[in-house]
Amino acid sequence: MSKIAILGAAESGVGAAVLALKKGYDVFVSDMGLIKEHYKDILNAHGIEWEEGRHTASRILDAEEIIKSPGIPDNAPMVAEAIAKGIHIINEIEFAARYTNAKMICITGSNGKTTTTSLIYHILKNANYNVGLAGNIGRSLALQIAEGCTYDYYVIELSSFQLDNMYDFRANIAVLLNITPDHLDRYDNDMQKYTDSKMRIIRNQEADDAFIYWADDPIIKAELEKYGIKAQKCPFSILSKNGMIGYIDNGTYTLETPTPFNMEQESLALNGKHNMYNSLAAGLATRLAGVSSEKLRESLADFQGVEHRLEKVATVGGVHYIN
């Protein structure tokens, strides 16, 4: 029986443990911190061995593969030992994707990931798609698959930390919102290393996939020249419509693929310049997934937004209150 060690026992780690057990692996879970009671209950219910407050090297370094929580850096002592020993280290999303045929719509970027992910999911649900939500938002992808979920699509928010340990994973629709300095302490204060991490969103894409990206971002522009991108390129902008697949022009929200779609900008539920980018990315992703104009228009207009992100609270005495 193949052995898998899992480092980190929160949502992703526990989900990966349950799936690995169901797929016949010998599973051991280790967390240097304290494990929440909820997750202990799940592990105990499945008879999965676990430890907290330490990493037992003899139990971890004899594994054929390690599934690592995205929050654990590669320079953590136990991870560094595993790397030195040549043990393959992946994350929960990479592992879980081996056991589903669902189409993957994946979103990354320094800012706007959660709003865009939530909007894409809202549009697909409203269009009656059989769709799940995972990654940095929603439940563990691995646990959903372990529980027998058979979605046709998953909408997955991906951080740079998750992308770092993904090798064979393929995003059928990849969305790159922007790249700005963030988490640089994790990347040796090297902006190029962080950028390289974000660009992994297009890894393994093929000609029948799509790559949606913000064409106004100077870093993304420079990076595109380095890659032989096979996927259909779908750039979006609010500054120009030239060469764009999605854009705002004279107050009109426009998408050019797969067939033209237009609606008044003022009818969009999300306000603010940054949310125009989010709405364009979400619209392109869902149109490429086949959502009708009618359902897209309806969903872009009635989306409630994400809690605490320019959330409309009330209007009192003519004053708008925003959380």
Side-chain angles (χ1 to χ4, degrees):
M1 182 183 295
S2 296
K3 294 182 179 180
I4 278 187
I6 295 173
L7 301 183
E11 183 69 22
S12 66
V14 171
V18 174
L19 180 59
L21 181 71
K22 293 205 168 188
K23 295 302 177 182
Y25 289 92
D26 178 1
V27 183
F28 179 66
V29 177
S30 179
D31 197 313
M32 277 296 287
L34 297 179
I35 303 173
K36 291 182 179 179
E37 290 302 319
H38 167 65
Y39 293 125
K40 287 181 183 178
D41 290 343
I42 296 174
L43 294 171
N44 290 335
H46 289 86
I48 297 170
E49 288 189 75
W50 56 267
E51 66 177 357
E52 62 180 352
R54 64 184 184 277
H55 286 322
T56 301
S58 61
R59 297 296 308 276
I60 295 167
L61 298 178
D62 69 344
E64 281 84 8
E65 194 165 49
I66 291 175
I67 301 173
K68 177 176 74 69
S69 166
I72 303 174
D74 285 348
N75 60 7
M78 185 52 61
V79 177
E81 284 189 57
I83 292 172
K85 193 175 178 183
I87 300 173
H88 190 44
I89 300 175
I90 60 172
N91 67 23
E92 171 247 343
I93 301 290
E94 173 89 350
F95 179 67
R98 297 172 182 173
Y99 303 104
T100 178
N101 292 319
K103 296 287 187 181
M104 300 293 182
I105 301 176
C106 302
I107 302 91
T108 197
S110 302
N111 303 287
K113 293 188 297 296
T114 300
T115 296
T116 304
T117 301
S118 300
L119 179 53
I120 291 172
Y121 179 69
H122 169 73
I123 295 167
L124 294 177
K125 285 289 286 184
N126 194 43
N128 297 315
Y129 276 51
N130 181 29
V131 58
L133 183 66
N136 276 353
I137 183 172
R139 299 172 63 235
S140 160
L141 176 64
L143 190 57
Q144 292 182 65
I145 294 170
E147 291 175 345
C149 295
T150 53
Y151 293 117
D152 298 322
Y153 288 86
Y154 274 103
V155 182
I156 303 178
E157 178 185 331
L158 292 174
S159 69
S160 59
F161 299 167
Q162 288 167 315
L163 288 163
D164 285 336
N165 289 111
M166 294 169 71
Y167 304 96
D168 299 321
F169 181 88
R170 173 183 170 191
N172 301 104
I173 297 176
V175 178
L176 178 56
L177 295 168
N178 45 62
I179 303 176
T180 58
D182 200 5
H183 304 300
L184 294 187
D185 57 327
R186 177 78 172 251
Y187 294 96
D188 302 323
N189 292 309
D190 186 333
M191 185 63 187
Q192 187 60 54
K193 289 183 179 179
Y194 173 65
T195 299
D196 292 342
S197 176
K198 285 297 186 188
M199 293 303 298
R200 290 172 70 89
I201 190 77
I202 61 175
R203 188 183 180 98
N204 302 316
Q205 281 200 300
E206 299 294 339
D208 55 345
D209 298 323
F211 175 40
I212 299 166
Y213 61 92
W214 178 31
D216 302 334
D217 187 304
I219 294 178
I220 295 176
K221 275 185 180 179
E223 288 300 308
L224 290 180
E225 298 176 3
K226 303 177 183 179
Y227 293 85
I229 298 171
K230 297 179 181 179
Q232 175 188 354
K233 294 181 184 178
C234 298
F236 61 89
S237 172
I238 66 170
L239 301 180
S240 170
K241 66 178 183 179
N242 294 330
M244 298 299 112
I245 305 298
Y247 53 89
I248 305 289
D249 184 47
N250 291 322
T252 301
Y253 171 102
T254 302
L255 307 176
E256 298 287 4
T257 189
T259 56
F261 171 88
N262 300 282
M263 69 183 289
E264 292 302 310
Q265 180 182 342
E266 63 183 19
S267 298
L268 297 171
L270 293 176
N271 297 312
K273 180 179 178 180
H274 64 295
N275 275 327
M276 294 303 101
Y277 292 117
N278 298 337
S279 296
L280 286 167
L284 285 170
T286 52
R287 285 291 276 171
L288 288 166
V291 171
S292 69
S293 296
E294 177 186 2
K295 286 297 183 182
L296 178 58
R297 191 182 313 279
E298 179 183 301
S299 300
L300 288 171
D302 68 9
F303 180 59
Q304 295 299 306
V306 178
E307 190 177 20
H308 310 311
R309 287 169 170 83
L310 294 182
E311 180 184 12
K312 297 177 183 177
V313 178
T315 300
V316 180
V319 178
H320 300 296
Y321 290 87
I322 308 294
N323 182 351

